[in-house]
Each structure stands twice: as C-alpha cells, then as structure tokens.
Amino acid sequence: MSTLTHEAVTTAELAPATYEPLLDTVEMAVLAPGTEPTWTLSELPDGLRMLHIDAGGAPVEIRLSLPLGDATGYWHPKAGWTRTLVADWAGRSTVSLVDGFATGCLYDHSGATMLTFAATDPVPEVRLRFGVSEENDTYVVHFELPAAPDPHRILFVPRRPSVASALGALRDWFAAETRAMPVPESARLPVYSTWYAFNQQVDAASVERQAELATDVGCGVLILDDGWQHLGSGRGYAGCGDWKPDPAKFPDFTGHVDRVRRAGLRYMAWIAPLLLGPEADCYDRWASCAPVAATVPGAHVLDPRRPEVRAHVIDTCVSLVRDHGFDGLKIDFLDEAMVYAGDGGDDIGQTLTLLLAELRSALEAERSELLLELRQPYVGPGMVPFGNMLRSFDCPGDAAANRVRTIDTSLLAVGGAVHSDPLLWSAAAPVEAAARQLIGALHSVPQISVRLDRLPHDHVEALRFWLAQWRRLRPQLLDGTVRPGRPDNLYTVVRAEAGGVSVLAVHGERAVRVRPAEFRETVLVNASDVDRLVLDVEGAAAYTEIAVHACDGRMIERSRTTLRPGLQSLSVPRMGLALVRSIG
C-alpha cells in the first residue's frame, strides 16, 4: 500500500474514505489493505489520548482532517524555515529513527494548538503528507505506518495554549517510557570545538593552546573535529574509513589527549563510522559492504544491516576510546544509512537500534560518564538511549538559526543535553557580533569554535561574561519552564523560569511583558538592534535594583526604581543585559 505516492496532486483527489470524529475538531479515517481496521481512543492519566489501531498486523494509512479555522502554522521536526501553512500538494516528509520523527503540531494565531500528535514508535520509516486542502478549506495530515505485529499507537494532545506546552506533554510521556542515556555533568558544560576554528587544519600544539584558553573562559569539554585522522584533508570524505591518527599532525596522539585532559577539559573526537572513501587503506576490504554512494561527497555508506559492518563499527569506536583515552565521540552522518531504505531489505531503523545499543554498551564498558554527541536530524525520542549531547545542525555564523534549531530540539528532547552548533564569528567584527552568537545559543549548551588566541580583548571579555552568566542561569535555561512563543515567529521572545528567576531573551524591538514582583530576579537580555527594552509591567508594582551590563560585561548603570504596571522604557545596550532584582 502506498496511497501517499498516488499521482493525485491534492489530497482531495485521493480515493474517498470514511471519516469519524476523533478529538476536538479533528476527524479521522483509517485505511488498511485487505482488512477492516478497528480503533479505540483512550484517555491517559495526564490528559493525553492514546489511539490504538488494530489492523491485524497490516500497514495502515491514517488520514486526519480538521476545519481550517484560524490556523497559522504547522511545526514538525523537519520544518526548517517552512513554519507557516503550506498547501497539501507541497507538504511532504519522510521520517525515520535517524531522520526526524513522526510528530506534528498545528496552531492558530493565538499560539493555541489545534492538532498535536506523535507516533509512539520512533524507529520505523513513516511517510507523511500534510497541508491546507484548498478544495475543502481544511487542514489535513496523512501518514503511513508500516506493518507491525502489535496494534499501532498514536498519541494526541488535546488543545493546549501553546506549542511548547503541547509538545511538553508529549515529551513527558516519552521521557517516562524511554530509558535515556545518563547525562554526566560534563555533557552540560560549554564546549570548545575545533571545526570552524580550524576546519581540518588541526595539529597537537594548536589544539592544546586553544584548550588552555578554553578552560580559562569557562569551557569544560573539547571536541576534536574532522581532520585529526589519516587522509583527513579536503572538504569531501574520500579518505574516511581507517580512523587512525595522522602522525604528521599528532605524532603522540595519546599523549596529546592526556595533556588536554590534564588542562581541565574532557576530550571527544569526531567520527563518521558509516562512511567509507575510496582513498582509505581499508577500502578494498570493505567496499563490498558499501555498495551505495553517500549523499555527502566522496564516500560510500557501509550497510549497517550486515553483522560484520556492525562489529567493525563497534570495534573501531571502542579501540579509539580505549587506545587514546577519549571521554566520548561525536558520531556524525548516521542519517546516511537511509540511502538503503526501501531496497527490500531489513528496516534501517531497527538495524541502527541494534547497532547503537551495542555500541553504547561497549563504550560504557571502557569509559565511565561516557559522552556521545548526536545531531539533528537524529535527535528524536528514539535516539536518546544512544546519545547524551543533542546538537543543532550546522549553521556557521547564523545566530538566528542556532536559536531556532536548538529550541526546536529542546521541545521534544526527552533526554540528553541540547547543544548549539559551534559558534563562529569574525575577530574583526564589533564585539556585539560575538555577543549575538552567544545569545543565540543561550537556551542550549554553547559550543565555541573560534581561534581564542586571535580574538581582541573585548571579544574575550564578552565570551567570559556570557559563559559565566550562562553557567549561573543554567537551572533556568536548561531545566526550567521554557516558553518560546510561536514557531513561525522564530522564537523572538524566549522565557525560561525556575527557582524564582525569570530569564527573557528579546530578539526584536517590541514591548515585553514582565512580572517583576513575582520573581526575585528577572534577567532581561537585549538581542535587538536598539539600545533599550520596552517593558509592559504586569501585576503588582515592584521596588527593584537594576544592574545594566554592556555586551562585554562592563557595568553601565546600577539604580533602584519602582517598576509600576504599564509601559516603561529601560536603557539596555544592544547585546547587553539587565539584572532586575526585587528588594523590600
């Protein structure tokens, strides 16, 4: 069955189906080949609904439809920058364990949700079709679930006031059902990455110099990215496969790792264990196990469904950690395994689940408090048993993309620590440019990737200041209640609250609602392009002490004032912040 690949341009042209009321204003039809599927909808203790579909083990297509109403946007893990409504002839997505997740959230102009759903099994490949049905003035979501021995299960969240609250309910359910990988303290510390700072031109002395400086400004982990390995040059991947240190760059690799660790940093290294390039010494041995080219240039992909490939990947990774004393690995390009999807062989997601479970177990036997970094698009609920650092996809120099992508990940992060893409900025730019990159990563664990010894003094001070503030506010930023607003607004006002402290990051010129009397401290981050914040004070008046800092941490002003209900302008330099503490 593959009705989603029907030649019909719109969903209105598909074969008719019988719809029944499901939840709120949502109607549903279920189709299965050769059987009459039955379904039930039950209420869970936390208010969620669980849909059970019994199709006798057959694959099913689920069609959801609801009146268009005041619908404004549709969020899903692979939305990218397409967060407003699309027509149903344009909305397509294929997801799997290592490429997104079968979930979505339709919301209206107030931000309230109209439809929120998720497949409970994040492993199999699922095809989705979604968008506005122009013929019917409805919003539709169709998705196919593959054959399964047990009834299919879909979670639904009744109408909630915001996307974050609806997805938070899904996140809580998956967290209770998932045995996430433990998250050591080091996974929640700022990271120094070599990637944008050096690309592949790394060597022991240069990395050790950056490690000393990174420790000084507040980092706790170093990631040695691509370029450390033999044949690790050129921006393609034709040399991947051997995973041996380049002796010209690292003549004593194990000693180098030990020196960085003694400087105070945990040490991780990049690896793409499924890539095999024709220049690698081992290519002839493994070429028969990598018949399909990767989507990245220069390499083929080892087929993880082969037992010998899985054993090879595990042995390679374990040997690196054991031989050189790594604290963990940055595992890249797992999504490349999907080049084998649909070829009639075993399910790729099921195979990768087996591989990654064995890999984690073998690595944990070598290293306590193991660190494993995964990155978008493989950061969904099905991957958290296999990694504890969930990184944003590459967005060099793009603070807005880092903000959006890290918050997108955190909305459904049921384990692990969400990390930014490494921060890149020009040493010749104004110091505000450096601060803007740091603010863009504020609601995640920041990764830094600039040559620290080439930064001007004010950039270093900005970096030190913002990492110190981030560490102080980590309970709010990583563990608090985060309200980022509508996804189509790109999270321009992000609130994070916990322990009597409210942190507001403001990324545009607008009036910002605050309730200073309800918090012992309100932290206002001005990421706009003007030197002020307009506050819309709500609730009771508050007598406050306000400390205003420039983007490099310099104290600009300290004053005491009563913030009364209504609009008030507060002078805060762009990329600076104000600490508002209630007194009396």
Side-chain angles (χ1 to χ4, degrees):
M1 181 190 70
S2 185
T3 57
L4 293 189
T5 57
H6 190 280
E7 291 299 322
V9 175
T10 72
T11 58
E13 296 176 280
L14 295 173
T18 301
Y19 283 81
E20 300 177 69
L22 179 68
L23 176 69
D24 294 335
T25 62
V26 180
E27 294 185 331
M28 179 185 70
V30 181
L31 297 84
T35 185
E36 291 292 330
T38 60
W39 61 269
T40 58
L41 186 69
S42 57
E43 183 172 355
L44 303 182
D46 54 6
L48 275 67
R49 306 294 195 272
M50 181 69 79
L51 174 69
H52 292 79
I53 299 176
D54 188 349
V60 301
E61 180 188 356
I62 301 171
R63 298 183 182 181
L64 305 174
S65 176
L66 67 161
L68 192 57
D70 196 23
T72 297
Y74 180 70
W75 181 94
H76 61 99
K78 297 176 68 174
W81 299 111
T82 307
R83 292 157 183 270
T84 50
L85 303 182
V86 300
D88 64 355
W89 46 261
R92 298 286 197 281
S93 182
T94 300
V95 301
S96 66
L97 176 71
V98 290
D99 190 11
F101 176 48
T103 185
C105 185
L106 178 72
Y107 54 93
D108 65 21
H109 194 263
S110 74
T113 61
M114 304 170 67
L115 166 66
T116 307
F117 72 92
T120 62
D121 187 351
V123 174
E125 185 176 354
V126 179
R127 291 191 295 274
L128 297 102
R129 180 171 186 171
F130 52 86
V132 175
S133 172
E134 302 170 21
E135 293 88 346
N136 298 313
D137 297 336
T138 56
Y139 195 88
V140 299
V141 178
H142 295 188
F143 52 102
E144 289 181 356
L145 300 175
D150 299 317
H152 303 278
R153 297 192 305 160
I154 309 295
L155 275 171
F156 289 89
V157 183
R159 186 176 176 90
R160 292 289 176 97
S162 68
V163 173
S165 61
L167 295 179
L170 291 179
R171 184 180 63 233
D172 291 344
W173 186 90
F174 278 100
E177 297 289 321
T178 305
R179 297 186 64 181
M181 185 176 177
V183 182
E185 172 69 9
S186 53
R188 293 162 51 88
L189 295 177
V191 174
Y192 183 83
S193 166
T194 64
W195 178 240
Y196 296 131
F198 292 90
N199 298 118
Q200 295 170 312
Q201 306 307 311
V202 288
D203 63 79
S206 297
V207 172
E208 289 168 30
R209 173 59 177 153
Q210 300 305 311
E212 294 174 0
L213 298 172
T215 303
D216 182 62
V217 297
C219 293
V221 178
L222 181 140
I223 297 179
L224 178 66
D225 214 293
D226 188 6
W228 63 267
Q229 74 279 16
H230 176 55
L231 300 174
S233 60
R235 289 301 295 270
Y237 299 93
C240 287
D242 296 323
W243 306 114
K244 297 177 181 178
D246 185 336
K249 297 177 179 180
F250 298 94
D252 178 13
F253 196 38
T254 303
H256 157 74
V257 172
D258 182 62
R259 289 189 291 274
V260 170
R261 296 185 80 246
R262 283 192 280 114
L265 299 178
R266 296 294 180 96
Y267 199 111
M268 301 173 65
W270 173 86
I271 186 172
L274 293 180
L275 296 188
L276 179 68
E279 296 178 10
D281 293 341
C282 68
Y283 180 77
D284 290 341
R285 177 184 175 189
W286 291 102
S288 63
C289 296
V292 179
T295 64
V296 295
H300 281 63
V301 184
L302 290 165
D303 187 343
R305 295 171 298 185
R306 291 172 167 250
E308 64 270 32
V309 167
R310 297 197 297 274
H312 168 67
V313 168
I314 293 168
D315 180 66
T316 299
C317 293
V318 169
S319 294
L320 284 171
V321 171
R322 178 192 301 134
D323 294 347
H324 304 298
F326 296 156
D327 293 285
L329 298 171
K330 170 182 177 176
I331 304 179
D332 212 352
F333 295 121
L334 289 177
D335 47 329
E336 289 293 328
M338 296 309 295
V339 299
Y340 293 106
D343 67 355
D346 293 340
D347 182 83
I348 301 300
Q350 296 289 353
T351 299
L352 286 174
T353 299
L354 176 62
L355 167 61
L356 294 171
E358 293 177 354
L359 177 61
R360 172 190 157 183
S361 177
L363 289 172
E364 285 179 328
E366 296 294 333
R367 175 65 70 183
S368 62
E369 297 190 346
L370 176 69
L371 299 173
L372 290 177
E373 184 193 273
L374 310 174
R375 63 151 174 85
Q376 290 173 311
Y378 45 90
V379 292
M383 290 297 290
V384 295
F386 315 124
N388 48 26
M389 298 164 65
L390 311 177
R391 183 178 65 82
S392 169
F393 189 68
D394 299 21
C395 52
D398 193 335
N402 238 339
R403 176 180 79 245
V404 171
R405 291 172 180 176
T406 53
I407 291 175
D408 278 350
T409 298
S410 68
L411 291 173
L412 278 175
V414 303
V418 176
H419 280 238
S420 74
D421 187 50
L423 308 185
L424 165 68
W425 67 88
S426 170
V431 64
E432 288 82 4
R436 189 164 66 87
Q437 296 296 325
L438 291 156
I439 294 170
L442 196 62
H443 296 274
S444 62
V445 179
Q447 295 196 12
I448 313 300
S449 192
V450 290
R451 299 279 188 105
L452 299 174
D453 54 351
R454 297 182 182 180
L455 292 180
H457 177 73
D458 56 351
H459 286 216
V460 175
E461 291 305 303
L463 178 56
R464 192 190 314 276
F465 171 73
W466 281 103
L467 289 185
Q469 288 293 324
W470 182 87
R471 281 177 176 259
R472 183 178 74 87
L473 299 170
R474 191 175 67 170
Q476 290 74 37
L477 299 172
L478 294 191
D479 305 321
T481 299
V482 177
R483 292 178 288 162
R486 277 176 22 194
D488 60 308
N489 285 339
L490 304 183
Y491 313 129
T492 50
V493 176
V494 187
R495 302 170 184 268
E497 300 169 355
V501 176
S502 175
V503 183
L504 288 87
V506 184
H507 297 271
E509 189 176 4
R510 57 186 296 174
V512 182
R513 294 179 292 105
V514 296
R515 291 178 172 265
E518 296 182 7
F519 298 93
R520 59 180 173 84
E521 182 180 8
T522 301
V523 181
L524 303 171
V525 179
N526 182 12
S528 75
D529 59 356
V530 295
D531 296 323
R532 68 167 186 173
L533 291 173
V534 178
L535 308 182
D536 184 2
V537 180
E538 298 179 338
Y543 184 51
T544 63
E545 179 178 79
I546 303 177
V548 178
H549 293 261
C551 66
D552 60 0
R554 289 177 295 112
M555 176 73 73
I556 299 296
E557 182 182 5
R558 188 186 296 274
S559 63
R560 291 192 174 190
T561 188
T562 298
L563 294 178
R564 304 184 186 282
L567 295 178
Q568 299 189 39
S569 179
L570 182 64
S571 293
V572 181
R574 66 197 72 186
M575 308 307 147
L577 87 167
L579 306 177
V580 182
R581 295 185 173 93
S582 297
I583 55 178

